[in-house]
């Protein structure tokens, strides 16, 4: 990453790795012809932010941030509809955004980041409540299925969990439709504006970050 000493590069790569945001993968040796023939076809690597080894730290952070926030937006509708995987994935994406924002604090204006982190924390809590009840109910129903057919001692507990799950999903729908979540989108725009400003100060065009104007 340009503008940093080798020790600083190693430091930030380790921070990315620990936060689940590893941007660069280590090079691996080329497989031999025999291994290449015996190995199954390589899976296509998952999509992610396009990062280059020459990117400035601010540019790399901005790309990761925008990638994860766009993912959050794509998951809003299926999560609203109660899709369990979408609720889980949206929770994970928000956790990664928050991790990126923690790393970004030394590089971007503090005020917009602080407001966005507060909005994300609130949304993460609502998503977490819904996800935790989904998982709890799955385990409860699996355990109940292992009991003798004539046993109904867990029915009341499972019914209560289902009601709590329904309440948590309604709370999630209310949150995603509410003004507070709308403010999260506003804070997102404020962060993008600060990212553009930082990019201009480092003589990099905003479009070069992959951020829409």
């Amino acid at each position: 990453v340009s503008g940093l000493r080798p020790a600083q590069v190693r430091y930030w790569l380790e921070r990315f790795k620990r936060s689940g945001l590893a941007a660069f993968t280590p090079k691996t040796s080329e497989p031999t012809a025999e291994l290449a023939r015996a190995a199954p076809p390589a899976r296509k690597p998952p999509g992610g932010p396009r990062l280059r080894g020459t990117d400035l730290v601010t540019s790399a952070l901005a790309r990761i941030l925008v990638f994860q926030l766009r993912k959050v937006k794509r998951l809003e509708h299926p999560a609203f509809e109660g899709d369990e995987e979408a609720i889980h994935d949206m929770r994970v994406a928000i956790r990664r955004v928050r991790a990126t924002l923690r790393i970004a604090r030394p590089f971007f204006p503090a005020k917009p980041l602080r407001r966005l982190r507060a909005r994300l924390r609130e949304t993460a809590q609502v998503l977490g409540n819904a996800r935790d009840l989904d998982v709890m109910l799955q385990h409860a129903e699996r355990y109940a299925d292992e009991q003798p057919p004539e046993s109904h001692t867990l029915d009341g507990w499972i019914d209560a969990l289902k009601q709590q799950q329904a309440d948590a999903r309604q709370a999630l729908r209310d949150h995603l439709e509410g003004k507070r979540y709308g403010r999260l989108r506003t804070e997102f725009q404020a962060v993008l504006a600060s990212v553009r400003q930082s990019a201009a100060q480092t003589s990099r065009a905003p479009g070069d970050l992959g951020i829409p104007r």
Side-chain angles (χ1 to χ4, degrees), residues 110-128:
K111 193 173 181 179
L113 293 186
R114 185 166 58 248
R115 287 197 297 259
L116 181 58
R117 288 179 65 202
R119 304 296 181 197
L120 289 167
R121 182 167 57 247
E122 183 179 18
T123 300
Q125 183 175 359
V126 178
L127 285 163

Side-chain angles (χ1 to χ4, degrees), residues 69-188:
L69 284 169
R70 284 176 172 168
K71 186 174 182 179
V72 168
K73 185 167 180 60
R74 288 197 302 271
L75 292 165
E76 284 176 4
H77 180 69
F80 180 87
E81 295 296 327
D83 184 290
E84 292 185 9
E85 289 305 314
I87 291 172
H88 169 68
D89 291 344
M90 187 173 178
R91 183 188 187 187
V92 171
I94 284 182
R95 184 167 65 239
R96 289 175 177 169
V97 172
R98 295 174 68 194
T100 305
L101 292 176
R102 283 195 295 272
I103 295 174
R105 281 182 294 186
F107 302 98
F108 298 120
K111 193 173 181 179
L113 293 186
R114 185 166 58 248
R115 287 197 297 259
L116 181 58
R117 288 179 65 202
R119 304 296 181 197
L120 289 167
R121 182 167 57 247
E122 183 179 18
T123 300
Q125 183 175 359
V126 178
L127 285 163
N129 292 340
R131 176 59 182 170
D132 289 347
L133 281 161
D134 287 344
V135 173
M136 192 180 302
L137 184 58
Q138 289 173 8
H139 285 291
E141 289 180 332
R142 189 177 302 120
Y143 179 73
D145 289 342
E146 296 172 354
Q147 306 309 305
E150 64 276 6
S151 175
H152 300 285
T153 55
L154 300 176
D155 290 354
W157 178 46
I158 290 177
D159 289 343
L161 285 176
K162 287 181 178 178
Q163 183 58 55
Q164 292 177 43
Q165 180 192 51
D167 293 343
R169 289 189 176 182
Q170 184 60 52
L172 175 59
R173 287 191 290 270
D174 291 343
H175 177 75
L176 294 177
E177 285 186 321
K179 293 181 180 180
R180 298 178 74 86
Y181 190 75
R183 293 192 191 105
L184 187 153
R185 290 174 174 158
T186 301
E187 302 302 339
F188 174 33

